[in-house]
Amino acid sequence: MRIAPVALIAKRELISYFTTPIAYVFLTIFLALNGVFGFYLGNFIARDQADLDAFFQFHPWLYLVLIPALSMRLWAEERRSGSLELLLTLPVSTAECVLGKFLAAWSFTLLALAGTLPMWVTVNYLGQPDNGAIAAAYVGSFLLAGAILAVGCCLSAVTKNQVVAFIATAVVCLAVMLLGFHVVIDTIEGMLPSMLVDVITTQSFFMHFNSIRRGVVSGPDLLFFLTTIVFWLYANVVVIEYKKSD
Amino acid sequence: MAGLSFAVGRGEVLGLLGPNGAGKSTTMKIIAGFLAPSAGTVHVGDVDMSRQPIIAKRQIGYLAEGAPAYQEMTTLGFLRFVAAARGLKGAHIDRAVRRMVELIHLEQVIHQTIETLSKGFRRRVGLAQALLHDAPILILDEPTDGLDPNQKYEVRSLIRDMAADKAIVLSTHLLEEVDALCTRALVVAAGRIVADGTPLALRARSRWHNAVTMIVEGEAAETLRPHLNAQFGDQRVEIQPTSLEVTATPVPAMAITVFAAPDELGKGLSPQHVAEALQSMGRNQGWRTLGLYVDPGRLDDVFRDLTIRAQERT
């Protein structure tokens, strides 16, 4: 894996967000929904607490809708327009292309997250929040976005249709998210051996994000998100190699 | 595709011909490293594409079918991106892009996004990205598709000028392009090679090769069919009504064609002998000869014959 081609592809992809309306639409909706969820649904004012918990608790659901919208075009559009053939006949490997595109999209979500920093500043103005916990929640949110994005990248390579890629990513991520909910755990507990139930439930994005959101970026949570990203990006490479002739 | 094996050397322009679905584009995708063959290998010089794809791809300039590109990018941005991806750096990128813009005449669209370009310009941008890094090997899938006659002429001249020190493989549906550009033609049908030779050698496989045709005014030639059959053999003579449209009123005429198989050239059926015999016959009959020519052979005839036969076999 070489850094220069990865950086080149990431740069091209990132610039393409801003030469099309994608970046502006995404950033506007992301920031607007953050405000709506945090202030109204999360009762930020009524809670009278100097933290951003009301704001971060909705991130999984926000990402479930917005990240697939960001990832759906990554490979589906390359396949539909035929530019995949151009890209993969340049002297770059498929893995470098996958990583470059993923990093472009992930850094774009970082930019979107950076757009919420005024809220952190505001909380500090209004009270004395636990800034360590808020920083951890930002890290968790960024990792969660990366994991959903990695799933989206892979599923975007499965189809030439962006809408199909969007729906598939949203559904798969919803399923993985729900694995941490009691209603799911209770349902599968009676059906599967307890060891398997443990393995399945520890795959929940929601559970690991919540664990970090509480203020501790623990090794297992970090490892979970990073291995999830690596796994889905590897699957992305395999899918491209398998589907490119279609 | 099966058993498709060939080598192209420096200085060669190989034309890949075949009906739609014959496997031309698939062959090019495999050579360019986009698709991996289920069996067999592609060697770019000493480099095995499957083992060292990055090194192999560096030596190839590839124009894919339809000249795909990133539609939202400007021509300049796109060419700079491809140049960087092909390993050029800094001033070399600027120089390579400038050279291509001048060579392919992209000056007027350099700041336009590719989605706004005409089909001809898109094709030219595709060609520019394939030539940017001055690769020793060019794989061009229908390089003149969508170009107007002047642009076709320019692109063909460009390819001809580069041909001496490159190995070029191009696919085309235009048989005239084979004559204009290719030093060698490979006809592919149903995934197999059905002919491999120079355009001249391919023409020689046509039944029209060395056929002598004399066009005479009026319709009297038909009356001499028995005589012509007796002299040249009835399988070898064809008399067709034709007309010359040099004036507002077409002049009725007959085209007498005498076909000669290659092995019969020494038996008094050489084009020269046949032409002289026909001329002499015309003089004796008092015909007015409107034309006399020897056919070099017809590529479309050979193409049709080879490909239909191959399709019938499968």
Side-chain angles (χ1 to χ4, degrees):
Chain A
M1 181 83 68
R2 299 161 304 157
I3 293 170
V6 173
L8 180 74
I9 287 162
K11 184 181 160 196
R12 194 212 74 75
E13 195 69 36
L14 198 55
I15 290 172
S16 80
Y17 289 145
F18 290 93
T19 52
T20 57
I22 295 172
Y24 310 103
V25 171
F26 183 92
L27 289 173
T28 306
I29 294 176
F30 179 77
L31 295 175
L33 288 181
N34 254 309
V36 170
F37 284 158
F39 283 101
Y40 294 99
L41 298 180
N43 292 320
F44 176 75
I45 307 290
R47 284 173 77 237
D48 199 25
Q49 286 181 23
D51 63 28
L52 288 178
D53 207 45
F55 156 75
F56 281 114
Q57 66 175 316
F58 292 105
H59 273 202
W61 311 114
L62 199 59
Y63 287 161
L64 210 51
V65 178
L66 290 183
I67 301 284
L70 191 65
S71 64
M72 66 183 187
R73 64 181 279 280
L74 282 173
W75 291 104
E77 179 61 16
E78 294 266 6
R79 288 188 55 205
R80 191 200 58 76
S81 70
S83 56
L84 183 67
E85 191 172 344
L86 170 84
L87 185 64
L88 296 186
T89 50
L90 294 173
V92 289
S93 69
T94 307
E96 287 163 351
C97 295
V98 165
L99 188 60
K101 277 174 168 283
F102 170 75
L103 288 179
W106 204 17
S107 51
F108 182 71
T109 61
L110 185 64
L111 185 73
L113 264 181
T116 65
L117 288 178
M119 294 179 85
W120 193 357
V121 175
T122 308
V123 168
N124 272 279
Y125 177 74
L126 294 173
Q128 288 179 323
D130 180 352
N131 282 321
I134 293 177
Y138 266 108
V139 171
S141 180
F142 182 54
L143 289 170
L144 175 67
I148 296 176
L149 203 51
V151 175
C153 284
C154 179
L155 296 179
S156 161
V158 174
T159 173
K160 290 180 186 177
N161 188 316
Q162 294 190 29
V163 177
V164 174
F166 175 89
I167 294 170
T169 306
V171 168
V172 168
C173 290
L174 177 67
V176 178
M177 206 84 87
L178 292 178
L179 290 176
F181 279 68
H182 286 298
V183 63
V184 177
I185 297 170
D186 292 345
T187 308
I188 61 173
E189 241 170 4
M191 298 159 65
L192 298 169
S194 60
M195 205 177 77
L196 201 57
V197 172
D198 287 345
V199 171
I200 290 172
T201 52
T202 51
Q203 302 307 308
S204 166
F205 289 175
F206 195 77
M207 205 177 77
H208 289 279
F209 170 67
N210 274 347
S211 168
I212 297 176
R213 188 162 66 96
R214 286 187 206 108
V216 182
V217 184
S218 70
D221 292 326
L222 194 62
L223 192 67
F224 167 78
F225 279 118
L226 293 180
T227 50
T228 299
I229 290 169
V230 170
F231 170 79
W232 282 98
L233 292 185
Y234 177 74
N236 193 352
V237 174
V238 173
V239 169
I240 289 168
E241 291 296 337
Y242 182 70
K243 298 281 286 184
K244 66 185 177 185
S245 60
D246 287 1
Chain B
M1 282 161 40
L4 205 80
S5 184
F6 61 92
V8 186
R10 191 182 290 267
E12 264 190 298
V13 180
L14 176 76
L16 211 53
L17 305 174
N20 288 334
K24 300 188 298 292
S25 288
T26 306
T27 304
M28 300 192 120
K29 285 174 208 264
I30 290 172
I31 301 172
F34 179 61
L35 297 180
S38 53
T41 53
V42 174
H43 283 274
V44 180
D46 296 332
V47 182
D48 184 337
M49 177 65 84
S50 62
R51 289 175 193 275
Q52 294 172 294
I54 305 288
I55 297 172
K57 285 175 189 175
R58 272 203 194 111
Q59 299 179 60
I60 295 175
Y62 177 50
L63 171 66
E65 189 180 10
Y70 291 109
Q71 302 297 313
E72 77 282 359
M73 294 182 93
T74 62
T75 302
L76 181 63
F78 176 65
L79 291 180
R80 289 186 64 84
F81 165 71
V82 174
R86 293 203 187 278
L88 299 182
K89 289 187 172 67
H92 293 287
I93 293 178
D94 296 333
R95 212 172 302 135
V97 170
R98 208 177 311 125
R99 190 173 71 89
M100 274 307 115
V101 169
E102 284 168 17
L103 200 65
I104 313 216
H105 305 300
L106 296 171
E107 294 88 348
Q108 66 188 96
V109 298
I110 194 73
H111 296 297
Q112 253 177 267
T113 54
I114 291 169
E115 65 194 344
T116 64
L117 302 183
S118 66
K119 192 179 176 192
F121 267 117
R122 281 184 206 189
R123 175 72 46 170
R124 284 154 77 176
V125 170
L127 195 61
Q129 68 76 23
L131 305 181
L132 256 178
H133 57 308
D134 199 18
I137 296 155
L138 294 179
I139 312 293
L140 309 173
D141 202 345
E142 299 187 19
T144 59
D145 183 42
L147 301 184
D148 67 34
N150 290 337
Q151 292 166 343
K152 272 185 186 160
Y153 176 82
E154 278 181 29
V155 168
R156 285 173 189 166
S157 303
L158 188 70
I159 293 172
R160 253 195 310 270
D161 291 346
M162 292 185 303
D165 57 351
K166 291 189 192 302
I168 302 175
V169 179
L170 60 89
S171 74
T172 180
H173 279 114
L174 307 171
L175 295 173
E176 78 208 46
E177 202 146 273
V178 178
D179 274 327
L181 279 178
C182 302
T183 56
R184 186 176 150 204
L186 201 74
V187 184
V188 181
R192 288 167 196 277
I193 296 174
V194 291
D196 182 0
T198 63
L200 215 60
L202 278 187
R203 279 182 188 283
R205 296 170 76 154
S206 160
R207 69 187 280 261
W208 287 91
H209 180 59
N210 282 337
V212 179
T213 299
M214 186 165 81
I215 298 171
V216 293
E217 194 177 356
E219 290 161 351
E222 186 60 47
T223 59
L224 275 190
R225 186 184 280 276
H227 182 67
L228 286 162
N229 285 349
Q231 186 165 354
F232 300 113
D234 51 4
Q235 299 297 310
R236 299 198 187 94
V237 178
E238 207 171 272
I239 303 175
Q240 296 283 342
T242 183
S243 63
L244 279 186
E245 296 180 7
V246 288
T247 59
T249 317
V251 178
M254 298 297 276
I256 306 165
T257 302
V258 178
F259 295 93
D263 58 339
E264 292 171 328
L265 290 179
K267 301 176 187 170
L269 282 171
S270 73
Q272 195 183 345
H273 281 113
V274 173
E276 281 169 6
L278 285 175
Q279 271 181 310
S280 154
M281 191 181 294
R283 271 195 303 275
N284 292 341
Q285 297 296 322
W287 292 338
R288 189 171 162 224
T289 305
L290 301 175
L292 179 71
Y293 58 86
V294 180
D295 205 309
R298 297 178 185 180
L299 274 179
D300 56 347
D301 193 41
V302 178
F303 178 84
R304 210 167 33 245
D305 190 39
L306 287 168
T307 54
I308 289 173
R309 234 187 300 151
Q311 275 163 348
E312 281 169 358
R313 273 201 301 271
T314 51

